[in-house]
Structures are given as C-alpha cells and as structure tokens.
Amino acid sequence: MNFTEIAENRQSCRSYDPCRLVEKEKLDCILEAARLSPSACNGQPYQITVCKGETAKKVAKATQGMGMNKFATDAPILIVISEMPYVATAALGAKVKKNDYRSIDIGILSAYITAEATAQGLGTCILGWLDDSEIREICGLDGAVRLVITLGYASEADKLRAKKRKDTTELVKIIEE
C-alpha cells in the first residue's frame, strides 16, 4: 500500500476478532515504525507499553468509564502511550515558544503506529477516554498516560466506512506570493 491507500483504508476499528492474535512480525513492524517517528529534537518524550493477555483486558477496562470503548476488551493488544520528560533542547524550545511539543510528538507517534498497522492489515482505534491513574498502576508507569491504541484484526462486521471529512477547500489555504 502507498500512503494514500493507507489513509483511505485506515479507520477507527470498533469490532475486533478476539480469537485472532497479532503475529509477532507484524507487531515488530509497527514498533519499528513507532521508533522511526519524528519528534522535537529527536527526543521521543514518550514510553510505549505493549499490553497483551490479562494486562490488555485490565487496560481495556480502564478505558471503559461511563460505558465508553466497550469494544476494547476484544482487542488482543492495547498500546499505552505515556508521557516522558523532554530532552533538554526540546524542553527549552517548549518553554521559549510556549508550545507543548510532547503532545505533538505523541500525535505523530500515534499516526505512525496506526498507519503501519493498517499497512499490516490490522485495525486500530486511538482512545483518549481513559483512567490515567488506573492504567499507570496496571502498567507500572510514572508518566501521564495520554493515549491507548487498540490493535488487532477487525471482525467481519467491521467493514470499511465512507470517510466523512471536510472538503480540501475548507482545510487548505494556498498563498502564492
């Protein structure tokens, strides 16, 4: 798949096949794409925690407050992305420019993870609704949990849906001077 095909095929998977495990080779490709993800000053201010088995089930439960994300329990892998300290140069830049580079870096990381998962024929969903303290305890993390990504094979019921996006003319401004 080229990148446009990945973008056309990637969607938030909300129905996983709980009996179909993700092959180690595919997970390794996804983690390598994550490792190559760009970040401010190449600091990679995050920790990636891959949860499988009972730990994945516990993390899934910690994303299901108020009835949210019920599908997460069926995903065989949950990837927890937690925040880590900046490297010194990125910390200085963030302070001077009053910009939260960690959030930007975590967003880019998530895009790389979900794009490579799509290229590998897997489904993902990025979850922001979560219990930070519960997931920290489950995974033994110090840094704030920012996102959880469900990962697995989509069930037969999870068909590719039409994209609902703004028109390019609403999103793009071109200045030619």
Side-chain angles (χ1 to χ4, degrees):
M1 269 191 237
N2 68 37
F3 188 78
T4 301
E5 291 168 328
I6 291 169
E8 289 170 343
N9 284 282
R10 195 264 154 204
Q11 66 183 7
S12 294
C13 179
R14 292 190 176 87
S15 179
Y16 290 94
D17 181 344
C19 299
R20 195 165 174 202
L21 300 180
V22 174
E23 298 87 344
K24 180 185 182 318
E25 299 78 23
K26 290 186 177 191
L27 179 59
D28 288 346
C29 287
I30 293 164
L31 296 175
E32 179 62 8
R35 186 184 73 80
L36 295 172
S37 170
S39 59
C41 302
N42 294 315
Q44 298 175 299
Y46 39 74
Q47 174 70 46
I48 302 165
T49 304
V50 177
C51 302
K52 298 179 180 183
E54 287 306 310
T55 301
K57 300 274 186 230
K58 289 177 186 175
V59 170
K61 291 274 188 225
T63 68
Q64 295 173 345
M66 296 180 67
M68 301 292 286
N69 305 319
K70 291 180 183 180
F71 60 89
T73 305
D74 289 335
I77 295 176
L78 274 74
I79 299 173
V80 176
I81 301 174
S82 54
E83 194 173 272
M84 298 297 287
Y86 284 119
V87 295
T89 51
L92 177 62
K95 186 172 184 173
V96 169
K97 291 299 181 180
K98 296 178 176 58
N99 203 344
D100 180 9
Y101 296 122
R102 281 185 290 215
S103 291
I104 295 166
D105 293 344
I106 287 170
I108 295 167
L109 170 70
S110 299
Y112 270 56
I113 289 170
T114 58
E116 184 59 35
T118 300
Q120 294 294 326
L122 297 165
T124 57
C125 190
I126 303 169
L127 310 178
W129 185 274
L130 52 88
D131 184 329
D132 171 65
S133 60
E134 181 70 18
I135 296 173
R136 280 194 206 196
E137 185 175 321
I138 293 165
C139 297
L141 301 171
D142 292 327
V145 175
R146 294 298 178 210
L147 298 172
V148 172
I149 301 174
T150 56
L151 175 67
Y153 284 96
S155 73
E156 292 292 324
D158 196 66
K159 303 291 184 200
L160 186 62
R161 300 177 297 275
K163 301 278 184 207
K164 296 178 185 176
R165 302 291 191 269
K166 291 180 180 179
D167 187 76
T168 305
T169 58
E170 293 180 68
L171 295 172
V172 178
K173 177 180 178 179
I174 300 174
I175 301 172
E176 296 188 37
E177 296 178 14

Coordinates of all heavy atoms in Angstrom, one line a residue, residues 26-67:
K26 N 4.3 -8.7 12.6 CA 3.5 -7.5 12.4 C 3.7 -6.5 13.5 O 3.8 -5.3 13.3 CB 2.1 -7.9 12.1 CG 1.9 -8.6 10.8 CD 0.4 -8.8 10.5 CE 0.3 -9.5 9.1 NZ -1.1 -9.5 8.7
L27 N 3.6 -7.0 14.7 CA 3.8 -6.1 15.9 C 5.2 -5.4 15.8 O 5.4 -4.2 16.0 CB 3.6 -6.8 17.2 CG 3.9 -6.0 18.5 CD1 2.9 -4.8 18.5 CD2 3.7 -6.8 19.7
D28 N 6.2 -6.2 15.4 CA 7.6 -5.7 15.3 C 7.7 -4.6 14.3 O 8.3 -3.6 14.5 CB 8.6 -6.8 15.0 CG 8.8 -7.8 16.1 OD1 8.5 -7.4 17.3 OD2 9.4 -8.9 15.9
C29 N 7.0 -4.8 13.1 CA 7.0 -3.7 12.1 C 6.3 -2.4 12.6 O 6.8 -1.3 12.4 CB 6.2 -4.2 10.9 SG 7.1 -5.4 9.9
I30 N 5.2 -2.6 13.4 CA 4.6 -1.4 13.9 C 5.5 -0.7 14.9 O 5.6 0.5 14.9 CB 3.2 -1.9 14.6 CG1 2.3 -2.3 13.5 CG2 2.6 -0.7 15.4 CD1 1.1 -3.2 14.0
L31 N 6.1 -1.5 15.8 CA 7.0 -0.8 16.8 C 8.2 -0.2 16.1 O 8.7 0.8 16.6 CB 7.4 -1.9 17.8 CG 6.3 -2.4 18.7 CD1 6.7 -3.5 19.6 CD2 5.6 -1.3 19.4
E32 N 8.7 -0.8 15.0 CA 9.8 -0.1 14.3 C 9.4 1.2 13.7 O 10.1 2.2 13.7 CB 10.4 -1.1 13.2 CG 11.5 -0.5 12.4 CD 12.8 -0.1 13.2 OE1 12.9 -0.4 14.4 OE2 13.7 0.5 12.6
A33 N 8.2 1.2 13.1 CA 7.6 2.5 12.6 C 7.5 3.5 13.7 O 7.8 4.7 13.5 CB 6.3 2.2 11.9
A34 N 7.1 3.1 14.9 CA 7.0 4.0 16.0 C 8.4 4.5 16.4 O 8.5 5.7 16.7 CB 6.4 3.2 17.2
R35 N 9.4 3.6 16.4 CA 10.7 4.1 16.7 C 11.2 5.1 15.7 O 12.0 6.0 16.1 CB 11.6 2.9 16.7 CG 13.1 3.1 17.2 CD 14.0 1.9 17.1 NE 14.3 1.7 15.7 CZ 15.3 2.3 15.0 NH1 16.0 3.3 15.6 NH2 15.6 2.0 13.8
L36 N 10.8 5.0 14.5 CA 11.3 6.0 13.5 C 10.5 7.2 13.4 O 10.8 8.2 12.7 CB 11.2 5.3 12.1 CG 12.2 4.1 11.9 CD1 11.9 3.4 10.6 CD2 13.6 4.5 12.0
S37 N 9.4 7.3 14.2 CA 8.6 8.5 14.2 C 9.4 9.8 14.6 O 10.1 9.7 15.5 CB 7.4 8.3 15.2 OG 6.7 9.4 15.5
P38 N 9.2 10.9 13.9 CA 9.9 12.1 14.2 C 9.3 12.7 15.5 O 8.2 12.5 15.9 CB 9.6 13.0 13.0 CG 8.4 12.5 12.4 CD 8.3 11.0 12.7
S39 N 10.2 13.4 16.2 CA 9.8 14.1 17.4 C 10.8 15.3 17.6 O 11.8 15.4 17.0 CB 9.9 13.2 18.6 OG 11.2 12.7 18.8
A40 N 10.3 16.3 18.4 CA 11.1 17.5 18.6 C 12.5 17.1 19.1 O 12.6 16.4 20.1 CB 10.4 18.4 19.6
C41 N 13.5 17.6 18.5 CA 14.9 17.4 18.8 C 15.2 15.9 18.9 O 16.1 15.5 19.7 CB 15.3 18.1 20.2 SG 15.0 19.8 20.1
N42 N 14.4 15.1 18.2 CA 14.6 13.6 18.3 C 14.5 13.1 19.7 O 15.1 12.0 20.0 CB 15.8 13.1 17.5 CG 15.8 13.4 16.1 OD1 14.8 13.2 15.4 ND2 16.8 14.0 15.5
G43 N 13.8 13.8 20.6 CA 13.8 13.4 22.0 C 12.9 12.2 22.4 O 13.0 11.6 23.4
Q44 N 11.9 11.9 21.5 CA 10.9 10.8 21.8 C 10.5 10.9 23.2 O 10.7 9.9 24.0 CB 11.5 9.5 21.4 CG 11.9 9.4 19.9 CD 12.6 8.2 19.5 OE1 13.7 7.9 20.0 NE2 11.9 7.4 18.6
P45 N 9.7 11.9 23.6 CA 9.3 12.1 25.0 C 8.1 11.2 25.4 O 7.1 11.8 25.9 CB 9.0 13.6 25.1 CG 8.4 13.9 23.8 CD 9.2 13.0 22.8
Y46 N 8.2 10.0 25.2 CA 7.1 9.1 25.5 C 7.6 7.7 25.7 O 8.7 7.3 25.4 CB 6.1 9.0 24.3 CG 6.7 9.0 22.9 CD1 7.3 7.9 22.4 CD2 6.7 10.2 22.2 CE1 7.9 7.9 21.2 CE2 7.3 10.2 20.9 CZ 7.9 9.1 20.4 OH 8.5 9.1 19.2
Q47 N 6.8 6.9 26.4 CA 7.0 5.5 26.6 C 5.9 4.7 25.9 O 4.7 5.1 26.0 CB 7.0 5.2 28.1 CG 7.1 3.7 28.5 CD 8.5 3.1 28.2 OE1 9.5 3.8 28.5 NE2 8.6 2.0 27.6
I48 N 6.3 3.7 25.2 CA 5.3 2.8 24.6 C 5.2 1.5 25.4 O 6.2 0.8 25.5 CB 5.7 2.5 23.1 CG1 5.9 3.8 22.3 CG2 4.7 1.5 22.4 CD1 6.6 3.6 21.0
T49 N 4.0 1.2 25.9 CA 3.9 -0.1 26.6 C 2.9 -1.0 25.9 O 1.7 -0.6 25.7 CB 3.4 0.2 28.0 OG1 4.3 1.2 28.7 CG2 3.3 -1.0 28.9
V50 N 3.3 -2.1 25.5 CA 2.5 -3.1 24.7 C 1.9 -4.0 25.7 O 2.6 -4.7 26.5 CB 3.3 -3.8 23.7 CG1 2.5 -4.9 23.0 CG2 4.0 -2.9 22.7
C51 N 0.6 -4.1 25.8 CA -0.2 -4.9 26.7 C -0.9 -6.0 26.0 O -1.6 -5.8 25.0 CB -1.2 -4.1 27.5 SG -0.4 -2.7 28.4
K52 N -0.7 -7.2 26.5 CA -1.4 -8.4 25.9 C -2.0 -9.2 27.0 O -1.8 -8.9 28.2 CB -0.3 -9.3 25.2 CG 0.4 -8.7 24.0 CD 1.4 -9.7 23.5 CE 2.2 -9.1 22.3 NZ 3.1 -10.2 21.7
G53 N -2.8 -10.2 26.7 CA -3.4 -11.1 27.6 C -4.3 -10.4 28.7 O -5.0 -9.5 28.4
E54 N -4.1 -10.8 29.9 CA -4.9 -10.3 31.0 C -4.6 -8.8 31.3 O -5.5 -8.0 31.7 CB -4.7 -11.1 32.3 CG -5.4 -12.4 32.3 CD -6.9 -12.3 32.0 OE1 -7.6 -11.5 32.6 OE2 -7.3 -13.0 31.0
T55 N -3.3 -8.4 31.0 CA -3.0 -7.0 31.2 C -3.8 -6.1 30.2 O -4.3 -5.1 30.5 CB -1.5 -6.8 31.1 OG1 -0.8 -7.5 32.0 CG2 -1.1 -5.3 31.3
A56 N -3.9 -6.6 29.0 CA -4.7 -5.9 28.0 C -6.1 -5.7 28.4 O -6.7 -4.7 28.2 CB -4.6 -6.6 26.6
K57 N -6.6 -6.8 29.0 CA -8.0 -6.8 29.4 C -8.2 -5.7 30.5 O -9.2 -5.0 30.6 CB -8.5 -8.2 29.9 CG -8.4 -9.3 28.9 CD -9.6 -9.3 28.0 CE -9.6 -10.5 27.1 NZ -9.9 -10.1 25.7
K58 N -7.2 -5.7 31.4 CA -7.3 -4.7 32.5 C -7.2 -3.3 32.0 O -8.0 -2.4 32.5 CB -6.2 -5.0 33.6 CG -6.4 -6.2 34.4 CD -5.2 -6.5 35.3 CE -5.3 -7.8 36.0 NZ -4.1 -8.0 36.8
V59 N -6.3 -3.1 31.1 CA -6.2 -1.7 30.5 C -7.5 -1.4 29.7 O -8.0 -0.2 29.8 CB -4.9 -1.6 29.6 CG1 -4.9 -0.3 28.8 CG2 -3.7 -1.7 30.4
A60 N -8.0 -2.3 29.0 CA -9.3 -2.1 28.3 C -10.4 -1.6 29.3 O -11.1 -0.7 29.0 CB -9.7 -3.3 27.5
K61 N -10.5 -2.3 30.4 CA -11.5 -1.9 31.4 C -11.3 -0.5 31.9 O -12.2 0.2 32.2 CB -11.4 -2.9 32.6 CG -11.9 -4.2 32.3 CD -13.4 -4.4 32.4 CE -13.8 -5.8 32.3 NZ -15.0 -6.0 31.4
A62 N -10.0 -0.1 31.9 CA -9.7 1.3 32.4 C -10.0 2.4 31.3 O -9.8 3.5 31.6 CB -8.2 1.4 32.8
T63 N -10.4 1.9 30.1 CA -10.8 2.9 29.1 C -12.4 2.9 28.9 O -12.9 3.6 28.0 CB -10.2 2.5 27.7 OG1 -10.8 1.3 27.2 CG2 -8.7 2.5 27.8
Q64 N -13.1 2.2 29.8 CA -14.5 2.0 29.6 C -15.4 2.7 30.6 O -16.6 2.3 30.7 CB -14.8 0.5 29.6 CG -14.1 -0.2 28.4 CD -14.2 -1.7 28.5 OE1 -14.6 -2.3 29.5 NE2 -13.9 -2.4 27.3
G65 N -14.9 3.7 31.2 CA -15.7 4.5 32.1 C -16.9 5.1 31.4 O -16.8 5.4 30.2
M66 N -18.0 5.2 32.1 CA -19.3 5.7 31.6 C -19.8 5.0 30.3 O -20.4 5.6 29.4 CB -19.2 7.2 31.4 CG -18.9 8.0 32.7 SD -18.8 9.7 32.5 CE -20.4 10.2 32.0
G67 N -19.4 3.7 30.2 CA -19.9 3.0 29.0 C -19.1 3.2 27.7 O -19.6 2.7 26.7

